Amino acid sequence: MERYKVTGEELRNFYQAETNLSKVFEDIENDLRDTNAVVCRFIVNGMEIKESDEKRFGSVSLNDVETLEYMTENSNDLVLDVLRAWIDSLPELMGKTENLSKRMRAQGLSGLLKPIHDLVSNCEYLIDSVMSLKVLVGDRYLVASPVNWAVAEEQSKKTVTEALGAMENKDFVLLADVLEYDLNNVLQMWKEHLQYLEKALNGDINGSNFKSEQDRSNPVGWKRIAN
């Protein structure tokens, strides 16, 4: 994690004194995006700003700013953490899917509604999570992945919708089919895709390295300080 600090005077020399902090926040975040980094937190006049308060503090004029600090983290590291967590949990999720489909064929929905609901909820969370990765990673790896991202995304949403519909209609035959075939296929697609992304982000695939630390410039030229 890196930490940067700039004085209000430096900001006013760089911008107009009447400029709002929201403009500074936006410029910093845009500049960091080019170096594969994200802002973890802003600190204004020594006070840490929560994400929910950024909009309110964004209206503050630079005339009222004595110091601005911000802490950053490499988005590559954040993405890798999420990837590894899902790669580790997907085999268990796939095993539960297969087990539940077999139990449904043997006993129907009796006693299985909650575990099935939990399974579908976990799959919905997986989809939301990998969609957020798409924003951070961009298109630079997606086009070369062995799995078509758009197809996986569309199939995932369709499968979850079918599973929820079958649950609502208490159609355990259809639900068992969706879990055993469609959902497991979707999970397998994401497993392969996320494994590819992990290798790409680690530089294990030719031509997939991010910019080196030496190629990165300090956001907006502000001074880097020790944590």
Side-chain angles (χ1 to χ4, degrees):
M1 186 176 292
E2 301 285 357
R3 184 169 179 170
Y4 299 86
K5 182 176 183 179
V6 61
T7 67
E9 182 179 358
E10 289 172 318
L11 285 169
R12 289 186 288 274
N13 288 336
F14 192 88
Y15 298 92
Q16 294 183 353
E18 296 78 18
T19 302
N20 289 341
L21 269 176
S22 59
K23 170 61 176 172
V24 181
F25 290 164
E26 181 181 0
D27 284 351
I28 290 172
E29 290 170 342
N30 287 338
D31 208 23
L32 286 169
R33 192 172 294 116
D34 293 334
T35 63
N36 303 306
V38 293
V39 175
C40 298
R41 66 179 66 95
F42 285 109
I43 303 170
V44 178
N45 298 341
M47 181 170 60
E48 184 174 324
I49 307 303
K50 296 180 180 179
E51 187 175 353
S52 58
D53 294 329
E54 280 186 25
K55 185 175 181 180
R56 178 166 59 88
F57 275 85
S59 62
V60 172
S61 167
L62 294 185
N63 282 315
D64 299 320
V65 177
E66 297 177 6
T67 59
L68 171 63
E69 300 172 61
Y70 54 98
M71 302 180 72
T72 71
E73 189 165 353
N74 191 324
S75 58
N76 184 17
D77 295 334
L78 297 176
V79 170
L80 280 171
D81 287 343
V82 176
L83 285 176
R84 288 165 183 153
W86 276 117
I87 290 171
D88 289 343
S89 62
L90 273 170
E92 180 182 356
L93 200 58
M94 294 168 70
K96 287 183 178 179
T97 302
E98 185 175 355
N99 178 262
L100 282 173
S101 65
K102 290 180 178 179
R103 291 176 63 187
M104 258 189 295
R105 296 187 192 283
Q107 67 187 68
L109 290 174
S110 178
L112 297 180
L113 280 176
K114 185 180 186 306
I116 293 170
H117 183 273
D118 291 343
L119 173 65
V120 174
S121 295
N122 284 335
C123 291
E124 286 184 297
Y125 180 67
L126 166 63
I127 295 169
D128 291 341
S129 182
V130 294
M131 291 306 104
S132 68
L133 292 183
K134 182 179 179 180
V135 176
L136 289 174
V137 173
D139 295 330
R140 55 189 177 275
Y141 299 125
L142 305 185
V143 293
S145 172
V147 176
N148 186 306
W149 183 284
V151 171
E153 182 179 347
E154 181 181 354
Q155 187 62 41
S156 299
K157 293 178 180 178
K158 178 182 177 182
T159 299
V160 168
T161 299
E162 288 179 348
L164 291 173
M167 286 177 62
E168 184 177 350
N169 296 327
K170 294 183 171 52
D171 188 341
F172 69 87
V173 174
L174 174 60
L175 184 55
D177 286 342
V178 170
L179 295 185
E180 183 175 3
Y181 302 111
D182 299 334
L183 188 55
N184 249 342
N185 182 55
V186 163
L187 295 176
Q188 181 62 37
M189 280 196 296
W190 284 123
K191 180 183 176 183
E192 294 174 8
H193 195 54
L194 298 183
Q195 286 174 332
Y196 173 88
L197 285 179
E198 182 186 31
K199 290 180 180 179
L201 291 170
N202 278 324
D204 295 334
I205 297 175
N206 291 335
S208 64
N209 287 312
F210 278 107
K211 293 180 182 179
S212 67
E213 288 293 336
Q214 290 78 9
D215 294 333
R216 298 175 185 173
S217 60
N218 290 356
V220 198
W222 304 144
K223 179 181 179 184
R224 180 182 296 167
I225 64 174
N227 290 332

